[in-house]
Amino acid sequence: MIQRLLRRLDYLLHRRRYDAELQEEMEFHRAELGRRGSGEAGPADGSPGRRQANGFSPGESQLGNVTLAREDARAVWLAPWIESVWQDVRIGARLLRRSPVVTIVAVATMALGIGANTAVYSLIDGALLRTMPVPEPDRLVFATETTPSGVSTRDFTERTFEQLRDDNRTLSGLAAYDDSRVSATIDGQPEMVRGDFVSAQYFAVIGTSAARGRLLLPSDDQPGAPGVLVLSDEYWRARFGADPAVVGRAMTLGGLPFTVVGVTPPTFHGRYVSGRSTDVTIPLSAHAALALHDHTTLELIGRLRPGVTLEQASADLDGIYRRVLAGDREAFELDEKRGRVGLSRGAHGAVDGALGPKDRRQVVTVVAIVALVLLVACVNVATLLLARGASRRKEIAVRLSIGAGGARLFRQLMTESLLLAALGGAAALLVARSTASILRYALPLPDLTFNPWRDAAVLAFTAGVSIVSGLLFGVAPALASLRVDVNAMLKGGAGQGASRRRTARAGRSLVVAQVALSIALLVSTGLVLRSVGNLRRVDPGVNADHVLETGVYPALLQYDRPHENQLYQTVTQTLEATPGIQSAAIARYALYHAGVNYVSPGLFATLGVPITQGRDLTQVEVAAHAHAAVINEPAVSRWFPGERTVGRLVPRELAGALGPLTIVGVVPAINPSYRRPQAKPTIFVPYTLASNEELGQASLYVRTRGEASASAPAVRSAVHSVESQLALLDLEPLTAELEGSIEPQRATAALLGVCGALALALVALGLYGTMSQAVARRTKELGIRLSLGARPGELLAMVLREASTIAAMGLAAGIPLALASTRGLSHLLFGVGLVDPLTLVAVTALMMLVALGAAYVPARRAAHVDPLIALRQE
Amino acid sequence: MALTNQPPDLLPGTLDLLILRALVAGPLHGYGIAERLKVVSQDVLHVGESSLYPALQRLLLNGWVKAEWGASENNRRARYYTLTAAGRKQLDAEREEFERLVTAIQRVLKMA
């Protein structure tokens, strides 16, 4: 049955080829008949009985029969209903092509409405609804520890893990994991990869099997076992080009040899339902050697034994934990470590734990808003179709009068609406990814990578929403179109009494609503755009032009402290000797870090930060581990307001365990983002003063002479000439980071701007339609006025006045709406109040301009009515 | 007078059955099928274009035959029909049904 349907569809899509083939084949048949017929039986032997019997020997009057035969043969393919639906679709497509502006605006409106819903759905689906694609996902649990004050963590020590794993009676398996960046070298190319360090049972607990090769075995997680790793499907495709022979390949991790033993399936995202998965999975035994220094704790995932409840298992684990604490004096003394151990469901693994009630409310609010957006979009498109329906009244009246069934016409109009909705849905899928990344700012959910075209649930949701919206916005215009008075319409009469006037009034109120809505959107857009401008003007404290930033992790290459210090010095010196590079420096922490930062001399020159008092740190001070410090101005104004600072000691509160530090210089606040400057008191000391745990990684800043990104390859090769295995993490211009800091504002402004522009287009089309109808309806009246001596300019002004009245009513409703809705944006605003006169004036002026522009064409038409023609028209 | 070959006069579905049967020996083009039926029926069954081509399209739609272009005996482009596995099954089923029907009719005709 389905195959038959597919064959029919194939016919519809390749109709021309099918028909041509049939025709050629039948011509061949006739040719053969002619060729052989003359020799064999056929017309020559011509007995009348025979001829009557077969009735189609070649020759005379066969043409009609042939055409008929061909029609019969074709008809086989066309189930009657398919034929007529197909016809509707073609007519619909033709009509949509005929009014491209209306079609484009309608499709774009629906794309936004549907796209917002698709985006929110995919975020919620990925984060909340979907469970992990593993057997019995409900049995997966995460271990958490909750302190009496209600703070939850998932961090456990290795010792606690081992006790919980070995002593519990309620879990069929418990595994530990930690993710960390890992320094890898593949074919001599160093790079940073995302690594998951996992204990022996990890894959068994989650319940997945290898797509290629094998996964990790308990024997791999032994000290001294040869280094093995498993690639994720994503990384295998991206880095190894999905090489089928990848199993057995060698990789270097943190300077140690490893062998690829397998690849995980594409559906496996570690502990997550979907989204960014890890690159490599490594036995936990390599954790201490390869992970970052500050990664000392593990998270735990387990699988309940069949029939065991979450509560029973939680009680079991908590009991074991109490015993561990009792036996471990050191842990026991850590008061905060005395929380209760519990378990939470792990199958919806994209979100850390369940959503709190506040988050839940936020999700519900966002869902309500996007549903409302879709509804508004549907109303707008319905209005658009209503207006266009008016211009098609005559066509429909003709079709009704020559006997087309009302139901048939209704179906055709609905097909057209569904076609529009389908186009809108397809467009929505195109923008869903970017819409999702913007809407994420409004949702307490992680950003999940998804491909709407490959995700069956998202596709089905979008299709469903499209169909429902198509029905929603299609019904009213279709019914209105069919409610025509055929006689009056065909007679060409303009006077159609009350119903026509009622439609006009409805149309007018819709335009008022549209104006109000676009005002709200445009005001919001204006406020966010002004915030972007204001944020850009914030002084980040650094001169980011010509600066490259990257991260290095010597600790991941088993560097000890003396070698690490040596490395930083050699790398910066080598870079400074490289052509095109002016200076280079390192800092342990990101620049917005407050408190103590460990830096190399030249950091301030590299970043373009002026030293306002004293001097920078020196190489000598670094080499000598000298207790010297550069202090920032917020610290000066807090501890030494208006006093001489250089030469004094750093306040103990700031120096902490570093002991006495002599201040050698003062710098302004550094805040390398356009976010609100909140620079806190900070000191910069030689990196050689950092304890072993504190160092191990650093940010590297390079000031270039030319364009920053052009020097990236030079920086890379200079660093690699010093240490061939040292990978650079995200080598980027510092300006990119600055721009990234205002990404939420820019993205929101873009989204609102697109919505606002569409809303304006809808207003323009709506007003144009309303005024055109009004002018058409009053042609006679206008004619009388003209013949009584009204000047055309007066009529023009009259129509424009009417349009401005509509716009003014919309403004009156829209401005309060705008003021109410911008409240939701307050967290994105910077340097503008919620009531911004400039924005309000600009938006009002823009709206009036659009309204007058849209009304101008009908107004001119009114002014140029020919009184004679107008009066004769009845 | 010979039995006419117009569909209304044949038992319903018989033409499809005959075409399927004609294709058992190997692929044939439309004209070849008509010829085969004519020859085998000893000039009784003359299948015309107006019933042959709709029937062939029907068989294509049901997936009982498939069509491929090839060269005819005199090297013209001709469309050859081949029996599919589903077609073979259909042939067996219809054949049984047809024989049952013919036996039934004969019983009636031969009644005392």
Side-chain angles (χ1 to χ4, degrees):
Chain A
M1 191 60 219
I2 292 201
Q3 282 185 332
R4 277 171 61 117
L5 189 68
L6 288 179
R7 284 195 201 102
R8 282 191 206 278
L9 266 172
D10 189 60
Y11 173 78
L12 287 174
L13 294 174
H14 304 104
R15 201 170 185 157
R16 216 166 281 172
R17 200 193 72 213
Y18 274 79
D19 289 352
E21 284 189 339
L22 182 64
Q23 180 157 7
E24 182 178 351
E25 152 172 62
M26 290 179 74
E27 271 163 14
F28 169 77
H29 188 113
R30 302 197 59 71
E32 291 290 289
L33 265 185
R35 195 167 64 85
R36 303 196 199 172
S38 51
E40 298 174 12
D45 93 2
S47 101
R50 160 70 53 77
R51 182 172 281 197
Q52 197 188 357
N54 58 36
F56 41 74
S57 0
E60 36 113 12
S61 80
Q62 282 302 306
L63 221 63
N65 276 359
V66 170
T67 317
L68 196 66
R70 207 163 59 218
E71 284 306 313
D72 283 351
R74 274 187 201 164
V76 168
W77 292 99
L78 300 167
W81 63 271
I82 289 199
E83 169 74 342
S84 68
V85 166
W86 184 246
Q87 196 188 353
D88 283 353
V89 169
R90 282 206 329 243
I91 293 176
R94 206 158 50 218
L95 289 174
L96 293 182
R97 265 206 307 274
R98 207 188 288 161
S99 40
V101 177
V102 171
T103 305
I104 288 170
V105 172
V107 167
T109 308
M110 288 324 293
L112 268 175
I114 299 171
N117 282 272
T118 298
V120 168
Y121 172 78
S122 30
L123 287 174
I124 290 179
D125 178 55
L128 299 176
L129 303 179
R130 205 172 293 187
T131 52
M132 286 164 73
V134 297
E136 298 179 72
D138 287 345
R139 284 170 52 203
L140 278 185
V141 288
F142 287 116
T144 50
E145 179 180 2
T146 311
T147 60
S149 54
V151 180
S152 282
T153 70
R154 286 195 181 173
D155 300 332
F156 293 87
T157 64
E158 192 163 353
R159 198 177 116 74
T160 311
F161 159 61
E162 282 164 3
Q163 291 285 325
L164 291 177
R165 178 192 63 195
D166 298 340
D167 294 355
N168 82 78
R169 292 154 182 281
T170 46
L171 300 177
S172 63
L174 182 69
Y177 59 87
D178 176 53
D179 48 32
S180 167
R181 295 211 168 264
V182 179
S183 182
T185 308
I186 306 161
D187 299 335
Q189 290 294 317
E191 68 175 285
M192 297 296 288
V193 298
R194 293 167 295 174
D196 265 355
F197 294 88
V198 305
S199 69
Q201 280 189 295
Y202 180 73
F203 287 112
V205 165
I206 293 178
T208 195
S209 49
R212 244 161 229 290
R214 65 171 175 92
L215 298 180
L216 301 178
L217 303 173
S219 57
D220 296 324
D221 190 23
Q222 301 289 335
V228 294
L229 61 86
V230 171
L231 299 175
S232 75
D233 179 76
E234 189 188 358
Y235 188 62
W236 172 57
R237 288 177 197 285
R239 184 61 182 76
F240 294 95
D243 178 9
V246 75
V247 171
R249 274 193 65 161
M251 269 173 83
T252 308
L253 294 184
L256 305 174
F258 274 78
T259 310
V260 176
V261 293
V263 182
T264 54
T267 50
F268 181 78
H269 299 277
R271 314 166 289 286
Y272 302 99
V273 177
S274 59
R276 275 173 79 84
S277 67
T278 183
D279 295 329
V280 297
T281 308
I282 313 158
L284 193 60
S285 51
H287 187 246
L290 299 187
L292 287 169
H293 287 181
D294 50 359
H295 283 237
T296 52
T297 58
L298 303 170
E299 297 184 28
L300 310 182
I301 186 169
R303 189 171 268 274
L304 297 175
R305 273 182 206 272
V308 170
T309 66
L310 199 66
E311 291 70 31
Q312 288 167 342
S314 299
D316 182 24
L317 292 194
D318 194 48
I320 300 165
Y321 189 53
R322 309 270 117 216
R323 286 201 299 282
V324 173
L325 288 180
D328 185 344
R329 174 154 294 199
E330 204 181 325
F332 198 67
E333 280 165 3
L334 288 169
D335 213 24
E336 60 191 3
K337 265 287 177 196
R338 296 175 63 197
R340 291 195 87 78
V341 168
L343 295 170
S344 62
R345 297 273 175 205
H348 301 284
V351 179
D352 274 2
L355 285 185
K358 186 170 155 270
D359 292 339
R360 214 166 272 281
R361 262 201 308 281
Q362 200 175 337
V363 170
V364 170
T365 313
V366 170
V367 168
I369 289 174
V370 293
L372 198 69
V373 166
L374 182 61
L375 202 66
V376 170
C378 284
V379 170
N380 276 321
V381 173
T383 319
L384 215 57
L385 294 184
L386 262 177
R388 200 194 39 182
S391 62
R392 269 165 61 184
R393 252 154 220 267
K394 207 151 204 166
E395 172 205 330
I396 285 172
V398 169
R399 293 182 65 176
L400 281 175
S401 67
I402 58 175
R408 182 76 180 67
L409 273 180
F410 179 75
R411 203 181 72 190
Q412 200 231 296
L413 292 168
M414 287 312 288
T415 307
E416 204 184 321
S417 298
L418 285 174
L419 204 59
L420 263 183
L423 288 174
L429 286 174
L430 289 178
V431 299
R433 185 70 200 92
S434 38
T435 319
S437 59
I438 295 168
L439 286 171
R440 186 173 57 85
Y441 296 120
L443 281 168
L445 300 176
D447 185 20
L448 303 172
T449 51
F450 68 94
N451 181 347
W453 297 98
R454 280 224 236 130
D455 193 319
V458 172
L459 273 183
F461 176 84
T462 308
V465 169
S466 305
I467 290 171
V468 171
S469 341
L471 296 175
L472 215 62
F473 69 67
V475 168
L479 288 178
S481 306
L482 292 177
R483 228 176 20 229
V484 290
D485 181 346
V486 173
N487 280 327
M489 200 67 220
L490 290 181
K491 268 192 235 138
Q496 265 165 65
S499 85
R500 183 87 185 263
R501 221 167 291 139
R502 209 174 328 126
T503 323
R505 205 172 310 137
R508 204 167 294 207
S509 0
L510 273 169
V511 174
V512 170
Q514 280 174 342
V515 172
L517 186 77
S518 10
I519 293 286
L521 279 168
L522 290 172
V523 168
S524 304
T525 313
L527 290 181
V528 178
L529 275 178
R530 290 206 54 193
S531 302
V532 171
N534 289 342
L535 283 165
R536 280 238 175 80
R537 275 192 289 279
V538 168
D539 179 13
V542 298
N543 179 1
D545 293 338
H546 309 298
V547 178
L548 281 168
E549 183 190 19
T550 184
V552 289
Y553 294 79
L556 296 181
L557 293 173
Q558 332 294 332
Y559 268 69
D560 61 14
R561 213 24 223 293
H563 284 94
E564 186 181 348
N565 290 344
Q566 183 63 45
L567 178 75
Y568 291 143
Q569 193 176 356
T570 323
V571 163
T572 46
Q573 278 170 1
T574 311
L575 280 169
E576 283 173 351
T578 305
I581 289 170
Q582 195 172 332
S583 65
I586 64 131
R588 166 60 182 87
Y589 295 110
L591 291 177
Y592 43 79
H593 175 82
V596 181
N597 203 349
Y598 303 95
V599 304
S600 72
L603 177 70
F604 304 111
T606 302
L607 294 172
V609 177
I611 291 175
T612 48
Q613 284 180 50
R615 57 167 176 84
D616 193 3
L617 300 166
T618 63
Q619 292 292 355
V620 176
E621 281 166 335
V622 169
H625 300 232
H627 278 62
V630 172
I631 190 166
N632 73 350
E633 276 168 0
V636 172
S637 52
R638 172 141 170 217
W639 282 286
F640 312 107
E643 299 168 36
R644 234 186 77 83
T645 320
V646 173
R648 299 177 67 164
L649 288 183
V650 171
R652 199 183 259 167
E653 211 180 326
L654 208 48
L658 285 170
L661 292 164
T662 312
I663 296 172
V664 298
V666 177
V667 290
I670 301 175
N671 179 46
S673 86
Y674 290 128
R675 279 173 288 214
R676 291 145 220 244
Q678 287 173 324
K680 295 210 173 96
T682 303
I683 54 168
F684 302 88
V685 300
Y687 63 84
T688 43
L689 291 184
S691 69
N692 287 348
E693 290 72 35
E694 274 177 308
L695 223 59
Q697 67 185 77
S699 297
L700 176 62
Y701 297 93
V702 181
R703 176 166 287 276
T704 60
R705 292 185 202 280
E707 221 229 303
S709 46
S711 293
V715 169
R716 222 176 269 280
S717 65
V719 172
H720 293 163
S721 72
V722 177
E723 166 55 90
S724 64
Q725 293 197 30
L726 189 66
L728 298 179
L729 182 69
D730 303 333
L731 179 61
E732 276 185 340
L734 192 55
T735 45
E737 189 183 325
L738 283 169
E739 278 303 307
S741 70
I742 53 171
E743 184 55 30
Q745 280 83 3
R746 288 202 314 179
T748 312
L751 181 68
L752 287 173
V754 170
C755 294
L758 261 182
L760 260 187
L762 284 165
V763 165
L765 282 173
L767 257 179
Y768 174 80
T770 311
M771 297 323 293
S772 298
Q773 273 180 52
V775 169
R777 200 174 62 238
R778 288 162 58 188
T779 309
K780 202 169 136 192
E781 176 205 328
L782 294 170
I784 293 173
R785 280 173 186 254
L786 275 173
S787 53
L788 289 181
R791 267 174 299 149
E794 287 168 6
L795 296 187
L796 188 95
M798 188 182 79
V799 176
L800 291 183
R801 208 157 40 235
E802 203 175 318
S804 338
T805 313
I806 295 179
M809 280 160 65
L811 275 167
I815 286 175
L817 183 68
L819 295 181
S821 59
T822 46
R823 215 167 291 271
L825 291 171
S826 52
H827 64 287
L828 288 173
L829 298 187
F830 180 75
V832 284
L834 287 178
V835 183
D836 182 43
L838 184 66
T839 308
L840 288 178
V841 169
V843 166
T844 308
L846 180 65
M847 183 54 72
M848 289 318 275
L849 211 66
V850 167
L852 292 178
Y856 184 69
V857 175
R860 266 180 62 92
R861 215 178 287 145
H864 290 104
V865 163
D866 184 338
L868 281 179
I869 293 176
L871 291 173
R872 221 179 277 151
Q873 196 192 46
E874 260 309 276
Chain B
M1 197 158 78
L3 188 71
T4 66
N5 51 25
Q6 296 300 320
D9 296 329
L10 279 175
L11 289 168
T14 310
L15 181 57
D16 293 9
L17 171 66
L18 295 179
I19 294 174
L20 290 176
R21 180 62 188 84
L23 290 175
V24 168
L28 286 174
H29 50 66
Y31 180 79
I33 294 171
E35 276 297 300
R36 173 71 58 86
L37 292 180
K38 194 167 92 177
V39 170
V40 174
S41 69
Q42 298 184 350
D43 227 9
V44 174
L45 297 171
H46 288 235
V47 181
E49 290 159 89
S50 52
S51 29
L52 177 63
Y53 287 98
L56 282 171
Q57 303 293 312
R58 207 154 47 231
L59 297 178
L60 277 175
L61 173 62
N62 285 315
W64 293 334
V65 301
K66 59 179 201 256
E68 267 159 341
W69 289 93
S72 76
E73 310 82 75
N74 52 335
N75 260 331
R76 278 195 59 179
R77 227 165 86 85
R79 204 181 190 196
Y80 281 88
Y81 291 87
T82 317
L83 208 56
T84 64
R88 215 169 283 274
K89 218 182 278 173
Q90 179 67 16
L91 173 63
D92 291 344
E94 273 191 27
R95 196 170 180 170
E96 214 166 277
E97 179 62 20
F98 184 79
E99 273 161 13
R100 215 169 56 86
L101 204 62
V102 169
T103 318
I105 293 171
Q106 278 174 348
R107 278 205 194 107
V108 173
L109 291 178
K110 284 180 189 160
M111 71 184 158

